[in-house]
Amino acid sequence: MTASNINSSRIKHTNATRYKIAQKIRSWRLKRGYTLKDLADKTGINYHTLRRYEQGICGIPDEELQAIADALSVSFSDLLPRQKVLKENRCCDKTQWMSNFIEKTRGRKAIYALTKSIRAEEESAIKAARIRMAKNMLKLEFDADIIYRATGLSVDEYENKEEKSSRLCGQKIMEGRKKSGSLTK
């Protein structure tokens, strides 16, 4: 994956998140029976700016998102998109912790922390995929150097100790055969 693909992926992710926030604002506004003008009056945010926020055209600063949440009588976290959780048992604890964190900081640090968390999860998923690829290459008996060039992982990063010791044992047997001349080409 090239740097431009990664940046493109981040931009799409940012736009998708921005759009989800915009949809939540619109949904809550309509549930409350407010027009855009009503919401603009309650928040003190310019009508046209608020419309761009609701269309997902531009990002919303934390302070203005909090003002919108207050005007709609919802919590800051109600306007944020739900994260897909890969492990069911982590769901409640992580969601509850994030919700409490957002409430305590009133959102000032929430966006930064959410972004950092998402990046860490993405990097972890990418590394896991590289490890799976390296293990598959190892099963197909590719040389460690080729696996390193393809994945950027060292042997220690993708082999567990049992696999590593059996591989080393196999390599020593092959070297012994080469030295004794019992291995023909």
Side-chain angles (χ1 to χ4, degrees), residues 96-160:
Q96 186 62 42
W97 178 85
M98 194 60 74
S99 179
N100 291 341
F101 175 75
I102 290 168
E103 288 296 323
K104 286 177 187 173
T105 62
R106 296 195 46 84
R108 291 185 186 99
K109 298 177 184 175
I111 300 300
Y112 174 76
L114 285 170
T115 303
K116 196 170 182 178
S117 172
I118 290 167
R119 281 188 189 145
E121 287 182 19
E122 287 173 350
E123 289 170 4
S124 176
I126 290 169
K127 177 128 186 194
R130 288 174 39 215
I131 289 171
R132 281 192 306 275
M133 184 174 144
K135 284 185 176 187
N136 288 335
M137 291 175 76
L138 186 61
K139 285 178 188 174
L140 296 171
E141 299 180 359
F142 278 88
D143 186 50
D145 186 49
I146 293 171
I147 295 173
Y148 174 76
R149 286 190 218 160
T151 63
L153 298 173
S154 69
V155 174
D156 294 332
E157 292 177 286
Y158 62 83
E159 280 190 338
N160 64 29

Side-chain angles (χ1 to χ4, degrees), residues 29-161:
R29 178 179 62 81
L30 294 174
K31 283 179 188 176
R32 299 290 188 249
Y34 296 155
T35 64
L36 267 174
K37 186 175 181 336
D38 293 337
L39 189 57
D41 292 340
K42 286 182 171 286
T43 60
I45 300 170
N46 179 289
Y47 170 85
H48 297 288
T49 303
L50 195 56
R51 192 175 90 204
R52 288 195 336 256
Y53 291 162
E54 197 171 277
Q55 291 171 340
I57 294 172
C58 58
I60 307 171
D62 293 347
E63 296 80 22
E64 292 190 3
L65 191 58
Q66 184 63 54
I68 293 168
D70 292 343
L72 294 171
S73 301
V74 297
S75 70
F76 185 89
S77 62
D78 287 337
L79 298 179
L80 298 177
R82 303 265 185 245
Q83 283 186 327
K84 291 180 184 176
V85 179
L86 299 176
K87 294 183 180 175
E88 184 97 11
N89 60 354
R90 285 182 18 194
C91 175
C92 298
D93 294 337
K94 188 173 184 179
T95 304
Q96 186 62 42
W97 178 85
M98 194 60 74
S99 179
N100 291 341
F101 175 75
I102 290 168
E103 288 296 323
K104 286 177 187 173
T105 62
R106 296 195 46 84
R108 291 185 186 99
K109 298 177 184 175
I111 300 300
Y112 174 76
L114 285 170
T115 303
K116 196 170 182 178
S117 172
I118 290 167
R119 281 188 189 145
E121 287 182 19
E122 287 173 350
E123 289 170 4
S124 176
I126 290 169
K127 177 128 186 194
R130 288 174 39 215
I131 289 171
R132 281 192 306 275
M133 184 174 144
K135 284 185 176 187
N136 288 335
M137 291 175 76
L138 186 61
K139 285 178 188 174
L140 296 171
E141 299 180 359
F142 278 88
D143 186 50
D145 186 49
I146 293 171
I147 295 173
Y148 174 76
R149 286 190 218 160
T151 63
L153 298 173
S154 69
V155 174
D156 294 332
E157 292 177 286
Y158 62 83
E159 280 190 338
N160 64 29
K161 291 182 181 180

Side-chain angles (χ1 to χ4, degrees), residues 10-28:
R10 284 189 181 148
I11 290 169
K12 287 178 186 173
H13 178 73
T14 302
N15 289 340
T17 303
R18 184 185 302 159
Y19 181 76
K20 287 176 186 176
I21 293 171
Q23 291 303 302
K24 288 208 173 221
I25 292 171
R26 179 177 167 78
S27 174
W28 280 108

